[in-house]
Each structure stands twice: as C-alpha cells, then as structure tokens.
C-alpha cells in the first residue's frame, strides 16, 4: 500500500505564527495565545534549568579540542533550523558537566524535546549577560565510549515560532493489554514522532495507551492523543506499535505432542 505524505494544514489559531521567524518575538494576538491543556503531559519544573554559556570567537577542530579540555562543550545557536545561511548565528560554549547532567537525568530524546533558557555571559564567572534566549536543543553529539557531550546545536525558540520536534513516546497500559496477557509480544516500531509544535507547547513526551490492544492490533501516528496545536510532519498512517503473536518454539511443539492422547495402535 502506497502511503502519501500528509500535507500540513495549520488551524486558524496558528496561521499567524512564523516558522523560525525572528519577527515573531513580539507578543501574540489574543487568539493565538497557547497553553498546555489538562490531561496532556507538560514539562517537569525540576528540569527548568538555565544553561550557562560564554561566547566563542572561532570554530575549528583545534578550537573545539581546547574547549573540551577546559570542560566546555562547543555549541552554536541558530535562528533557522538548518543554520546553513548564518541566520542570527552565535558561537558559544556551554559547561560540559551541566549538559552531561541534563542528558543523564532526562534521557537523550527528552533533552532534545525541551526548551531551555540559555544565558550567554561575557566570560566564565562573570555576571554580565550578553544575551538570554529561549532555545531548543536540535542535536547533541556524544562520545561513543564515555557518552561525554562533544557538541550541541540550539535553535532559537521565541514565542510565536513553529518548531519541528521529535517527541519521545512513553508506552502505558502494557500490564492490562489483552494481547500481551495472552503471551503476545510488543513490537515497538517508533520511539519518537516528529511534530510541528508552537514554541509555547512542546510536550515532554506523548503517552501511547496499549490497554485495549489485542493480538494483531496496532496503533499508527494518527492515533496518538496530542494537543490540537501540534501537527504531524509525515503521514498519519505510519505504524507506531503492534501486538504481534508469539512464535511457538520447537520445545513447545514437542511438549504439545507429548500432551496429546495417543491413538490406538492398529491391530496386527
């Protein structure tokens, strides 16, 4: 079956928002004021931490190596998502220990779906603030052996912008799923799903309820319960999770044969 990519159509309340627009930092009209709704996940206040940064004058392999040796992570803050054309670009360095702690406590995917206040100070230990900006971590590169952060990319996220975000999925109801109770297995196809989100409403995760799934049933991205302001980037028919029937092992087959009543032997 051929799946066609869904066309993103914004509701009227979001049509005044600009995608990665610096002009959108002004106050939103009353009809576009957005907030989290009851019953939907919202960011945990305990992770509402200001990320401290200092300006970095230059980039390059040697500069980055010196920064890491000094306990800092080379980073960059962009205005535009791709950052290819220098949109309000600022080179900075953030503290290795702070980024490592946040990623460890929150988890990799959850760190990348959380907006932080980033405070750029003139130098380490200074109280002089050069810039303070709300930003979304777009990507983070970790060392393959130690998981130490090597670099971080941030996207500016002022009010009124729309951001493409990979939202983590959290699966619930597996303990009462009819299919899983019958011994079937859970086939997890997606761990995150990309949505177009207003900067004011980026959920920390999306709950995927398995409590009603039986053997052979599945959930697709269109089944996910999210805030109405969020819009899927891709097709709503992409599978997320499926309850798959378990295969019978050879040992189980042999045991089943032993449990069958023996047929009468033919008389000679």
């Amino acid at each position: 079956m051929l799946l066609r990519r869904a066309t993103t159509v914004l509701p009227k309340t979001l049509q005044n928002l600009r995608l990665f627009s610096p002009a959108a930092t002004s106050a939103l009209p009353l009809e576009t004021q957005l907030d989290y709704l009851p019953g939907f996940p919202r960011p945990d206040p305990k992770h509402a931490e200001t990320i401290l940064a200092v300006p970095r004058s230059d980039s390059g392999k040697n500069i980055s190596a010196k920064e890491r040796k000094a306990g800092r992570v080379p980073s960059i803050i962009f205005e535009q998502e791709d950052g290819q054309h220098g949109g309000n670009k600022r080179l900075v360095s953030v503290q290795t220990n702070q980024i490592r702690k946040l990623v460890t406590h929150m988890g990799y995917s959850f760190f990348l779906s959380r907006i932080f206040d980033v405070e750029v100070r003139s130098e380490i230990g200074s109280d002089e603030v050069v810039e303070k900006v709300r930003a979304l971590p777009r990507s983070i590169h970790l060392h393959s052996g130690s998981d130490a952060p090597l670099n971080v990319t941030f996207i500016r996220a002022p009010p009124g912008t729309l951001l493409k975000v990979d939202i983590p999925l959290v699966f619930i109801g597996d303990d009462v799923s009819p299919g899983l109770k019958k011994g079937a297995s859970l086939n997890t196809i997606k761990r995150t799903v990309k949505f177009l989100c207003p900067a004011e409403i980026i959920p920390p995760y999306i709950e995927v309820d398995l409590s009603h799934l039986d053997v052979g049933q599945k959930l697709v991205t269109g089944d996910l319960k999210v805030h109405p302001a969020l819009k899927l980037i891709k097709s709503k028919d992409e599978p997320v999770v499926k309850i798959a029937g378990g295969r019978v092992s050879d040992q189980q087959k042999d045991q089943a044969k032993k449990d069958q009543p023996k047929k009468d032997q033919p008389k000679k």
Side-chain angles (χ1 to χ4, degrees):
M1 178 179 178
L2 179 63
L3 298 180
R4 296 182 179 179
R5 182 165 180 169
T7 302
T8 302
V9 179
L10 298 179
K12 291 182 180 179
T13 55
L14 295 184
Q15 289 177 358
N16 291 331
L17 303 185
R18 300 284 300 280
L19 186 62
F20 310 108
S21 168
T25 56
S26 58
L28 295 175
L30 181 62
E31 65 270 19
T32 59
Q33 294 292 336
L34 300 169
D35 199 359
Y36 292 92
L37 297 178
F40 289 95
R42 59 178 60 214
D44 192 332
K46 73 179 181 181
H47 297 307
E49 189 167 329
T50 298
I51 295 178
L52 301 180
V54 292
R56 184 164 50 95
S57 60
D58 205 353
S59 60
K61 186 175 181 180
N62 292 336
I63 297 293
S64 296
K66 290 180 180 179
E67 289 296 297
R68 296 185 188 107
K69 189 174 181 179
R72 297 186 292 271
V73 182
S75 306
I76 191 167
I77 305 173
F78 284 120
E79 179 72 48
Q80 299 174 2
E81 182 180 20
D82 56 12
Q84 296 294 321
H85 308 294
N88 202 5
K89 179 176 68 174
R90 181 185 287 277
L91 296 175
V92 298
S93 291
V94 295
Q95 297 175 326
T96 300
N97 289 342
Q98 185 179 27
I99 300 301
R100 185 199 288 268
K101 181 191 71 173
L102 287 170
V103 174
T104 301
H105 289 180
M106 299 180 65
Y108 180 86
S109 298
F110 297 89
F111 174 74
L112 295 177
S113 63
R114 169 90 190 211
I115 286 184
F116 293 93
D117 286 327
V118 180
E119 192 170 276
V120 184
R121 299 187 178 182
S122 58
E123 59 185 16
I124 299 296
S126 172
D127 293 330
E128 181 185 355
V129 178
V130 177
E131 181 184 14
K132 187 170 184 177
V133 59
R134 284 174 58 79
L136 174 76
R138 170 60 63 200
S139 63
I140 179 170
H141 182 204
L142 304 179
H143 189 278
S144 58
S146 64
D147 283 340
L150 298 178
N151 56 65
V152 187
T153 299
F154 295 94
I155 301 297
R156 298 175 187 273
T161 54
L162 293 173
L163 304 167
K164 296 177 182 178
V165 187
D166 286 306
I167 308 296
L169 303 180
V170 173
F171 299 91
I172 62 173
D174 54 316
D175 55 332
V176 295
S177 165
L180 296 179
K181 279 190 170 184
K182 294 174 183 176
S185 59
L186 181 64
N187 181 13
T188 303
I189 302 166
K190 287 184 177 293
R191 297 286 183 181
T192 63
V193 175
K194 190 182 291 291
F195 281 86
L196 188 63
C197 307
E200 296 86 349
I201 305 176
I202 299 180
Y205 58 87
I206 296 171
E207 290 185 341
V208 183
D209 190 0
L210 309 173
S211 61
H212 300 294
L213 288 187
D214 209 335
V215 178
Q217 294 182 328
K218 66 179 180 180
L219 293 174
V220 297
T221 51
D223 296 323
L224 300 177
K225 301 296 187 295
V226 298
H227 191 289
L230 273 60
K231 294 299 169 185
L232 274 169
I233 299 296
K234 297 184 178 180
S235 169
K236 64 179 181 180
D237 298 319
E238 292 192 350
V240 172
V241 66
K242 182 177 181 179
I243 305 295
R247 295 181 178 179
V248 180
S249 66
D250 292 338
Q251 184 178 359
Q252 289 173 318
K253 290 179 180 178
D254 293 339
Q255 185 62 43
K257 289 180 181 179
K258 292 179 181 179
D259 293 340
Q260 288 178 353
K262 293 183 179 180
K263 295 182 179 180
D264 294 334
Q265 295 294 329
K267 296 180 180 179
K268 293 184 179 179

